[in-house]
Amino acid sequence: FCFWQEIPEVKSQRLLEGLTPQQHHLQEALFEVITSEASYLRSLSVATSHFKGSLVLQETLTRAEVHRLFSNLQQVRDVSERFLLELEEQMDKDVFLAGLGTVALKHCPAFHRVYVPYVTNQMYQAQLMQQLMRENWRFRQVLRKLEEQPVCQRQPLKSFLVLPFQRITRLKILLENILKLALVGSELAGSISAALRAVGEIVSECNENVRRMKQTEELVLLEKQVEFVKTKSIPLISRGRWLVRAGNFSQILIQEVGVGSRPRLSTKPIHLHLFSDLLLLSRRRDDGRFSVKDYAQTSHVRAEPLKAEPLGLPNTAFLLCLSCNHRGATAEFLLKADSTAGWQRW
Protein backbone atom coordinates (compact mmCIF):
# COMPACT_ATOMS: atom_id res chain seq x y z
CA PHE A 1 0.00 0.00 0.00
CA CYS A 2 1.23 3.48 -0.86
CA PHE A 3 -0.67 5.25 1.90
CA TRP A 4 -1.62 4.46 5.49
CA GLN A 5 -5.29 5.16 4.73
CA GLU A 6 -5.25 2.28 2.19
CA ILE A 7 -4.35 -0.39 4.78
CA PRO A 8 -7.26 -2.88 5.07
CA GLU A 9 -7.37 -2.61 8.87
CA VAL A 10 -7.63 1.19 8.66
CA LYS A 11 -10.42 0.88 6.10
CA SER A 12 -12.39 -1.89 7.82
CA GLN A 13 -12.31 -0.20 11.22
CA ARG A 14 -12.86 3.26 9.69
CA LEU A 15 -9.97 4.60 11.74
CA LEU A 16 -9.53 7.63 9.53
CA GLU A 17 -12.89 9.03 10.64
CA GLY A 18 -11.66 9.48 14.21
CA LEU A 19 -8.55 11.47 13.26
CA THR A 20 -8.00 15.18 12.81
CA PRO A 21 -6.26 16.29 9.58
CA GLN A 22 -2.99 16.74 11.50
CA GLN A 23 -3.24 13.25 13.03
CA HIS A 24 -3.93 11.84 9.57
CA HIS A 25 -0.83 13.59 8.19
CA LEU A 26 1.16 12.16 11.12
CA GLN A 27 0.07 8.61 10.30
CA GLU A 28 0.97 9.06 6.64
CA ALA A 29 4.40 10.45 7.64
CA LEU A 30 5.02 7.46 9.91
CA PHE A 31 3.91 5.02 7.20
CA GLU A 32 6.20 6.69 4.64
CA VAL A 33 9.21 5.47 6.63
CA ILE A 34 8.08 1.90 5.90
CA THR A 35 7.09 2.37 2.25
CA SER A 36 10.29 4.27 1.42
CA GLU A 37 12.45 1.69 3.22
CA ALA A 38 10.76 -1.08 1.23
CA SER A 39 11.45 0.72 -2.05
CA TYR A 40 15.05 1.38 -0.97
CA LEU A 41 15.56 -2.29 -0.06
CA ARG A 42 14.27 -3.40 -3.47
CA SER A 43 16.82 -1.15 -5.17
CA LEU A 44 19.63 -2.37 -2.90
CA SER A 45 18.70 -5.94 -3.78
CA VAL A 46 19.07 -5.12 -7.47
CA ALA A 47 22.47 -3.56 -6.81
CA THR A 48 23.74 -6.56 -4.82
CA SER A 49 22.23 -9.44 -6.78
CA HIS A 50 22.05 -8.11 -10.34
CA PHE A 51 25.28 -6.09 -10.42
CA LYS A 52 27.57 -7.16 -7.58
CA GLY A 53 26.40 -10.77 -7.92
CA SER A 54 27.09 -10.88 -11.67
CA LEU A 55 29.97 -13.29 -12.27
CA VAL A 56 30.40 -11.92 -15.79
CA LEU A 57 30.86 -8.39 -14.41
CA GLN A 58 33.24 -9.63 -11.71
CA GLU A 59 35.41 -11.26 -14.38
CA THR A 60 36.07 -7.82 -15.88
CA LEU A 61 37.44 -6.52 -12.55
CA THR A 62 40.19 -7.34 -10.10
CA ARG A 63 39.24 -8.41 -6.60
CA ALA A 64 40.39 -5.03 -5.26
CA GLU A 65 38.24 -3.21 -7.84
CA VAL A 66 35.17 -5.26 -6.91
CA HIS A 67 35.66 -4.33 -3.24
CA ARG A 68 36.27 -0.66 -4.02
CA LEU A 69 33.29 -0.44 -6.37
CA PHE A 70 30.72 -2.13 -4.15
CA SER A 71 32.35 -1.60 -0.75
CA ASN A 72 30.10 -2.95 2.06
CA LEU A 73 26.90 -2.61 0.02
CA GLN A 74 25.77 -6.13 0.98
CA GLN A 75 25.96 -5.23 4.68
CA VAL A 76 23.99 -2.03 3.98
CA ARG A 77 21.28 -4.14 2.31
CA ASP A 78 21.19 -6.61 5.21
CA VAL A 79 20.77 -3.81 7.75
CA SER A 80 17.94 -2.31 5.69
CA GLU A 81 16.21 -5.70 5.52
CA ARG A 82 16.34 -6.16 9.30
CA PHE A 83 15.11 -2.62 9.88
CA LEU A 84 12.18 -3.07 7.48
CA LEU A 85 11.26 -6.43 9.00
CA GLU A 86 11.02 -4.92 12.47
CA LEU A 87 9.05 -1.95 11.17
CA GLU A 88 6.54 -4.33 9.60
CA GLU A 89 6.33 -6.34 12.83
CA GLN A 90 5.66 -3.09 14.69
CA MET A 91 2.86 -2.25 12.27
CA ASP A 92 1.31 -5.69 12.79
CA LYS A 93 1.22 -5.00 16.53
CA ASP A 94 0.00 -1.42 16.26
CA VAL A 95 -1.35 0.05 13.06
CA PHE A 96 -0.79 3.55 14.48
CA LEU A 97 3.00 2.84 14.60
CA ALA A 98 3.54 4.48 17.98
CA GLY A 99 6.77 2.49 18.46
CA LEU A 100 8.44 3.54 15.20
CA GLY A 101 10.84 5.93 16.92
CA THR A 102 11.98 3.21 19.33
CA VAL A 103 12.60 0.81 16.44
CA ALA A 104 14.58 3.43 14.48
CA LEU A 105 16.69 4.27 17.53
CA LYS A 106 17.40 0.58 18.14
CA HIS A 107 18.82 0.22 14.62
CA CYS A 108 21.00 3.35 14.72
CA PRO A 109 24.16 1.50 15.88
CA ALA A 110 23.81 -0.78 12.83
CA PHE A 111 23.20 2.24 10.59
CA HIS A 112 26.38 3.82 11.92
CA ARG A 113 28.36 0.62 11.41
CA VAL A 114 27.51 0.31 7.71
CA TYR A 115 26.67 3.80 6.44
CA VAL A 116 29.73 5.70 7.67
CA PRO A 117 32.32 3.47 5.93
CA TYR A 118 30.19 3.17 2.79
CA VAL A 119 29.70 6.92 2.39
CA THR A 120 33.35 7.60 3.25
CA ASN A 121 34.38 5.31 0.38
CA GLN A 122 32.01 6.91 -2.15
CA MET A 123 34.57 9.38 -3.50
CA TYR A 124 36.98 6.58 -4.40
CA GLN A 125 34.05 4.54 -5.69
CA ALA A 126 33.09 7.35 -8.08
CA GLN A 127 36.70 7.79 -9.21
CA LEU A 128 37.02 4.09 -9.97
CA MET A 129 33.73 4.12 -11.88
CA GLN A 130 34.99 6.94 -14.09
CA GLN A 131 38.30 5.17 -14.65
CA LEU A 132 36.62 1.88 -15.57
CA MET A 133 34.27 3.61 -18.02
CA ARG A 134 37.27 5.24 -19.70
CA GLU A 135 39.75 2.39 -19.73
CA ASN A 136 37.97 -0.97 -19.36
CA TRP A 137 35.99 -1.61 -22.56
CA ARG A 138 34.95 -5.10 -21.41
CA PHE A 139 33.49 -3.65 -18.19
CA ARG A 140 31.57 -1.06 -20.21
CA GLN A 141 30.21 -3.74 -22.51
CA VAL A 142 29.01 -6.03 -19.71
CA LEU A 143 27.64 -3.17 -17.64
CA ARG A 144 25.62 -1.82 -20.55
CA LYS A 145 23.90 -5.20 -21.01
CA LEU A 146 23.14 -5.45 -17.28
CA GLU A 147 21.71 -1.92 -17.16
CA GLU A 148 19.41 -2.71 -20.11
CA GLN A 149 17.65 -5.45 -18.15
CA PRO A 150 14.05 -4.64 -17.02
CA VAL A 151 14.94 -5.16 -13.35
CA CYS A 152 16.98 -1.93 -13.45
CA GLN A 153 14.01 0.15 -14.66
CA ARG A 154 16.37 2.16 -16.89
CA GLN A 155 18.55 3.17 -13.93
CA PRO A 156 22.36 2.96 -14.35
CA LEU A 157 24.63 1.32 -11.78
CA LYS A 158 25.82 4.75 -10.60
CA SER A 159 22.32 5.64 -9.45
CA PHE A 160 22.17 2.47 -7.34
CA LEU A 161 25.57 3.10 -5.76
CA VAL A 162 24.60 6.53 -4.40
CA LEU A 163 21.42 5.24 -2.74
CA PRO A 164 22.83 4.63 0.79
CA PHE A 165 23.87 8.24 1.39
CA GLN A 166 20.59 9.45 -0.07
CA ARG A 167 18.69 7.07 2.21
CA ILE A 168 20.30 7.95 5.53
CA THR A 169 19.82 11.63 4.66
CA ARG A 170 16.18 11.05 3.71
CA LEU A 171 15.54 9.08 6.91
CA LYS A 172 16.63 12.16 8.86
CA ILE A 173 14.18 14.30 6.87
CA LEU A 174 11.34 11.78 7.40
CA LEU A 175 11.92 11.80 11.16
CA GLU A 176 11.96 15.60 11.16
CA ASN A 177 8.59 15.64 9.39
CA ILE A 178 7.11 13.21 11.92
CA LEU A 179 8.39 15.28 14.84
CA LYS A 180 6.72 18.41 13.43
CA LEU A 181 3.36 16.59 13.42
CA ALA A 182 3.67 14.66 16.69
CA LEU A 183 1.98 15.97 19.82
CA VAL A 184 4.48 17.95 21.88
CA GLY A 185 5.45 16.07 25.03
CA SER A 186 4.01 12.77 23.82
CA GLU A 187 5.86 9.47 24.06
CA LEU A 188 6.03 9.34 20.26
CA ALA A 189 7.60 12.81 20.09
CA GLY A 190 10.20 11.75 22.67
CA SER A 191 11.21 8.55 20.86
CA ILE A 192 11.25 10.21 17.42
CA SER A 193 13.37 13.06 18.82
CA ALA A 194 15.90 10.57 20.22
CA ALA A 195 16.04 8.67 16.90
CA LEU A 196 16.41 11.93 15.00
CA ARG A 197 19.41 12.97 17.11
CA ALA A 198 21.08 9.59 16.53
CA VAL A 199 20.44 9.61 12.77
CA GLY A 200 21.51 13.25 12.59
CA GLU A 201 24.85 12.34 14.19
CA ILE A 202 25.36 9.61 11.59
CA VAL A 203 24.62 12.02 8.73
CA SER A 204 26.99 14.60 10.25
CA GLU A 205 29.77 12.03 10.60
CA CYS A 206 29.22 10.91 7.00
CA ASN A 207 29.46 14.51 5.81
CA GLU A 208 32.54 15.17 7.93
CA ASN A 209 34.30 12.04 6.66
CA VAL A 210 33.51 12.96 3.05
CA ARG A 211 34.93 16.43 3.68
CA ARG A 212 38.10 15.01 5.22
CA MET A 213 38.55 12.50 2.40
CA LYS A 214 38.20 15.28 -0.18
CA GLN A 215 40.72 17.40 1.70
CA THR A 216 43.20 14.52 1.88
CA GLU A 217 42.71 13.69 -1.80
CA GLU A 218 43.31 17.35 -2.62
CA LEU A 219 46.63 17.22 -0.74
CA VAL A 220 47.61 13.96 -2.44
CA LEU A 221 47.02 15.47 -5.89
CA LEU A 222 48.76 18.71 -4.98
CA GLU A 223 51.83 16.94 -3.59
CA LYS A 224 52.32 15.37 -7.02
CA GLN A 225 52.32 18.85 -8.60
CA VAL A 226 54.64 20.63 -6.15
CA GLU A 227 58.44 20.57 -6.40
CA PHE A 228 60.91 21.80 -3.79
CA VAL A 229 63.91 22.55 -6.00
CA LYS A 230 65.60 25.47 -4.25
CA THR A 231 63.99 25.01 -0.84
CA LYS A 232 64.05 22.26 1.75
CA SER A 233 61.39 19.65 0.97
CA ILE A 234 58.49 19.19 3.38
CA PRO A 235 55.60 16.70 3.23
CA LEU A 236 52.30 18.35 2.33
CA ILE A 237 50.15 15.50 3.62
CA SER A 238 49.95 16.04 7.35
CA ARG A 239 47.35 15.25 9.98
CA GLY A 240 45.00 18.17 10.50
CA ARG A 241 46.16 20.03 7.39
CA TRP A 242 43.87 21.10 4.58
CA LEU A 243 43.97 23.55 1.70
CA VAL A 244 42.11 26.73 2.60
CA ARG A 245 42.65 28.74 -0.58
CA ALA A 246 44.91 28.97 -3.63
CA GLY A 247 45.33 31.72 -6.18
CA ASN A 248 47.51 33.65 -8.61
CA PHE A 249 49.14 36.96 -7.73
CA SER A 250 51.69 39.30 -9.25
CA GLN A 251 54.90 39.92 -7.35
CA ILE A 252 55.90 43.56 -7.71
CA LEU A 253 59.62 44.15 -8.11
CA ILE A 254 61.03 47.66 -7.52
CA GLN A 255 64.08 48.73 -9.51
CA GLU A 256 65.95 51.85 -8.49
CA VAL A 257 66.88 53.96 -11.54
CA GLY A 258 68.76 56.85 -9.96
CA VAL A 259 68.46 59.82 -7.65
CA GLY A 260 65.39 61.96 -8.27
CA SER A 261 63.76 59.42 -10.55
CA ARG A 262 60.71 57.38 -9.69
CA PRO A 263 61.50 53.68 -9.13
CA ARG A 264 60.61 51.42 -12.01
CA LEU A 265 58.10 48.69 -11.26
CA SER A 266 57.96 45.29 -12.88
CA THR A 267 55.90 42.21 -12.08
CA LYS A 268 56.13 38.47 -12.35
CA PRO A 269 53.51 35.86 -11.52
CA ILE A 270 53.51 34.03 -8.20
CA HIS A 271 51.09 31.42 -6.86
CA LEU A 272 49.98 31.12 -3.24
CA HIS A 273 48.72 27.95 -1.57
CA LEU A 274 47.29 28.74 1.84
CA PHE A 275 46.85 25.69 4.07
CA SER A 276 45.41 25.55 7.57
CA ASP A 277 48.94 25.77 9.01
CA LEU A 278 51.24 26.61 6.09
CA LEU A 279 51.71 29.10 3.25
CA LEU A 280 53.54 28.15 0.04
CA LEU A 281 54.80 30.68 -2.51
CA SER A 282 55.51 29.11 -5.89
CA ARG A 283 56.11 29.77 -9.55
CA ARG A 284 53.75 27.96 -11.88
CA ARG A 285 55.65 26.29 -14.69
CA ASP A 286 54.50 25.75 -18.27
CA ASP A 287 53.75 22.09 -17.49
CA GLY A 288 51.33 23.13 -14.72
CA ARG A 289 53.62 22.08 -11.86
CA PHE A 290 54.56 24.40 -9.00
CA SER A 291 58.15 25.22 -8.09
CA VAL A 292 58.26 26.34 -4.46
CA LYS A 293 60.23 29.52 -3.81
CA ASP A 294 59.45 30.03 -0.14
CA TYR A 295 57.13 28.91 2.62
CA ALA A 296 56.32 29.56 6.26
CA GLN A 297 54.01 28.41 9.00
CA THR A 298 50.88 30.57 9.09
CA SER A 299 51.79 31.68 12.62
CA HIS A 300 54.79 33.44 11.01
CA VAL A 301 52.80 35.04 8.18
CA ARG A 302 51.40 38.58 8.19
CA ALA A 303 49.74 40.54 5.40
CA GLU A 304 49.85 44.35 5.63
CA PRO A 305 47.81 46.77 3.50
CA LEU A 306 49.70 49.63 1.86
CA LYS A 307 48.96 53.25 1.05
CA ALA A 308 49.38 52.36 -2.56
CA GLU A 309 48.81 55.67 -4.39
CA PRO A 310 51.65 57.71 -2.81
CA LEU A 311 54.03 54.86 -3.62
CA GLY A 312 52.81 54.59 -7.18
CA LEU A 313 51.47 51.08 -6.55
CA PRO A 314 48.16 49.51 -7.61
CA ASN A 315 45.27 49.73 -5.10
CA THR A 316 45.26 45.94 -4.72
CA ALA A 317 48.90 45.79 -3.58
CA PHE A 318 49.87 44.52 -0.11
CA LEU A 319 53.00 43.47 1.76
CA LEU A 320 53.36 39.81 2.68
CA CYS A 321 55.77 39.30 5.59
CA LEU A 322 57.27 35.94 6.58
CA SER A 323 58.94 36.36 9.97
CA CYS A 324 60.44 32.86 9.77
CA ASN A 325 60.61 31.35 6.29
CA HIS A 326 62.07 28.04 5.09
CA ARG A 327 65.59 29.22 6.04
CA GLY A 328 64.47 30.57 9.40
CA ALA A 329 64.96 34.14 8.14
CA THR A 330 62.66 37.09 7.50
CA ALA A 331 61.32 37.58 3.98
CA GLU A 332 59.01 40.17 2.46
CA PHE A 333 57.03 40.05 -0.77
CA LEU A 334 55.21 42.93 -2.40
CA LEU A 335 52.16 41.38 -4.06
CA LYS A 336 49.23 42.53 -6.16
CA ALA A 337 45.87 40.81 -6.32
CA ASP A 338 43.97 40.58 -9.61
CA SER A 339 40.90 42.33 -8.17
CA THR A 340 39.65 44.25 -5.15
CA ALA A 341 37.48 41.27 -4.16
CA GLY A 342 40.51 38.98 -4.28
CA TRP A 343 42.55 41.47 -2.25
CA GLN A 344 39.85 41.63 0.43
CA ARG A 345 39.40 37.84 0.50
CA TRP A 346 43.08 37.17 1.02
Side-chain angles (χ1 to χ4, degrees):
F1 309 102
C2 294
F3 300 100
W4 181 80
Q5 66 184 28
E6 297 174 346
I7 299 173
E9 184 180 347
V10 175
K11 283 184 172 182
S12 64
Q13 297 185 23
R14 306 175 75 173
L15 298 177
L16 197 58
E17 296 177 7
L19 300 180
T20 65
Q22 181 170 339
Q23 289 172 333
H24 179 204
H25 291 320
L26 172 61
Q27 292 309 132
E28 296 296 354
L30 287 162
F31 191 59
E32 189 179 358
V33 175
I34 298 179
T35 56
S36 60
E37 191 70 31
S39 175
Y40 169 59
L41 178 59
R42 284 194 297 272
S43 296
L44 287 180
S45 297
V46 172
T48 53
S49 61
H50 185 64
F51 289 105
K52 184 176 184 294
S54 170
L55 296 179
V56 181
L57 187 67
Q58 288 187 28
E59 288 172 358
T60 69
L61 305 169
T62 66
R63 184 177 297 180
E65 286 173 337
V66 171
H67 175 72
R68 189 173 166 189
L69 188 61
F70 294 102
S71 189
N72 60 328
L73 190 62
Q74 181 64 50
Q75 287 76 21
V76 174
R77 197 211 76 87
D78 293 344
V79 165
S80 173
E81 184 177 45
R82 288 192 290 270
F83 180 46
L84 179 61
L85 180 62
E86 193 157 348
L87 286 174
E88 290 174 339
E89 290 174 349
Q90 179 65 34
M91 190 171 66
D92 289 340
K93 295 177 185 175
D94 174 20
V95 75
F96 287 101
L97 293 165
L100 186 142
T102 303
V103 173
L105 183 61
K106 174 186 173 183
H107 285 263
C108 280
F111 294 157
H112 184 277
R113 188 178 69 251
V114 297
Y115 281 106
V116 171
Y118 185 88
V119 173
T120 302
N121 180 64
Q122 273 197 304
M123 183 178 69
Y124 296 109
Q125 184 187 69
Q127 289 175 351
L128 176 61
M129 190 71 178
Q130 292 174 356
Q131 179 185 341
L132 291 171
M133 295 301 287
R134 283 195 315 267
E135 304 172 4
N136 190 331
W137 68 270
R138 179 61 180 154
F139 173 81
R140 289 199 308 271
Q141 187 181 48
V142 172
L143 182 62
R144 190 176 298 113
K145 290 182 179 179
L146 288 172
E147 289 177 342
E148 289 172 353
Q149 297 299 310
V151 70
C152 297
Q153 297 183 334
R154 298 183 179 181
Q155 295 297 313
L157 173 59
K158 286 191 288 187
S159 69
F160 288 99
L161 294 179
V162 299
L163 285 174
F165 194 24
Q166 292 175 347
R167 178 56 188 173
I168 194 65
T169 304
R170 187 182 180 195
L171 181 58
K172 178 174 178 283
I173 294 171
L174 291 173
L175 293 173
E176 287 172 341
N177 291 339
I178 293 169
L179 190 58
K180 290 175 185 176
L181 295 166
L183 184 64
V184 177
S186 65
E187 189 174 336
L188 175 63
S191 62
I192 291 294
S193 181
L196 177 59
R197 283 194 300 272
V199 172
E201 288 172 2
I202 296 170
V203 173
S204 296
E205 188 169 346
C206 286
N207 286 326
E208 178 64 18
N209 281 12
V210 168
R211 186 183 67 82
R212 287 177 182 171
M213 295 299 283
K214 286 181 178 178
Q215 289 174 346
T216 301
E217 184 68 12
E218 199 171 30
L219 292 182
V220 169
L221 293 174
L222 186 57
E223 191 163 57
K224 295 176 182 177
Q225 298 176 309
V226 170
E227 289 185 352
F228 295 86
V229 179
K230 296 182 179 180
T231 58
K232 182 181 177 181
S233 178
I234 56 171
L236 290 187
I237 303 173
S238 176
R239 185 177 179 86
R241 175 179 295 162
W242 67 89
L243 182 65
V244 177
R245 188 173 291 122
N248 294 310
F249 289 83
S250 296
Q251 182 180 1
I252 301 174
L253 304 173
I254 301 176
Q255 299 174 322
E256 298 292 341
V257 294
V259 179
S261 300
R262 197 168 189 171
R264 185 181 300 163
L265 304 180
S266 63
T267 62
K268 58 181 178 180
I270 191 167
H271 196 90
L272 268 59
H273 287 100
L274 177 62
F275 301 92
S276 53
D277 63 337
L278 182 72
L279 177 68
L280 290 186
L281 295 89
S282 311
R283 304 284 183 213
R284 191 164 196 165
R285 302 185 336 199
D286 293 338
D287 61 2
R289 297 176 68 82
F290 299 96
S291 179
V292 177
K293 299 301 179 184
D294 210 343
Y295 58 80
Q297 296 293 315
T298 51
S299 57
H300 297 297
V301 176
R302 187 177 73 259
E304 297 181 354
L306 297 170
K307 293 182 179 179
E309 192 173 342
L311 300 174
L313 299 174
N315 290 332
T316 57
F318 64 96
L319 186 64
L320 183 69
C321 305
L322 311 183
S323 59
C324 184
N325 68 355
H326 74 281
R327 294 191 308 270
T330 299
E332 293 182 344
F333 297 85
L334 190 56
L335 303 181
K336 176 177 76 74
D338 292 337
S339 64
T340 303
W343 177 85
Q344 291 173 339
R345 185 165 58 248
W346 280 85

